[in-house]
Amino acid sequence: MRIFSLLSLVVVLLIVAVVAKKQLGITQATAPAASAASGEVSAPVANNPQQARQLTQQVQQDVNSMMQGRGGQLDQDLDKTQP
């Protein structure tokens, strides 16, 4: 009876491993395709330190503005859910 239990456990683990591998393969295959399909996003190139600083500041400003906008949206969502 123990051998049947052990054999069943091995079979179940093999099935789980195959399904997990298949799911990871799908995820890895779609990620590059999605980024290549968008085509709009490209990394800016800084040729000197001044451009690098400007790009860094621009990214910081963009992130801050997005976070502020998202914070207001979260506040509105919380107000809707509270009675």
Side-chain angles (χ1 to χ4, degrees), residues 1-14:
M1 193 55 108
R2 285 186 177 179
I3 294 197
F4 179 70
S5 299
L6 184 61
L7 185 61
S8 299
L9 180 63
V10 170
V11 169
V12 168
L13 288 175
L14 283 173

Side-chain angles (χ1 to χ4, degrees), residues 12-26:
V12 168
L13 288 175
L14 283 173
I15 292 171
V16 169
V18 168
V19 170
K21 185 176 180 182
K22 188 181 289 187
Q23 288 293 326
L24 288 175
I26 290 171

Side-chain angles (χ1 to χ4, degrees), residues 5-80:
S5 299
L6 184 61
L7 185 61
S8 299
L9 180 63
V10 170
V11 169
V12 168
L13 288 175
L14 283 173
I15 292 171
V16 169
V18 168
V19 170
K21 185 176 180 182
K22 188 181 289 187
Q23 288 293 326
L24 288 175
I26 290 171
T27 304
Q28 291 173 352
T30 57
S35 64
S38 66
E40 298 174 8
V41 179
S42 62
V45 178
N47 295 327
N48 58 39
Q50 183 180 4
Q51 285 180 338
R53 272 186 252 117
Q54 288 175 347
L55 286 173
T56 303
Q57 290 173 353
Q58 182 180 1
V59 169
Q60 287 175 342
Q61 289 172 353
D62 290 344
V63 169
N64 287 336
S65 66
M66 287 175 31
M67 294 300 288
Q68 289 173 354
R70 182 70 178 144
Q73 187 179 18
L74 289 174
D75 290 340
Q76 290 174 355
D77 290 344
L78 285 175
D79 290 341
K80 289 179 187 176

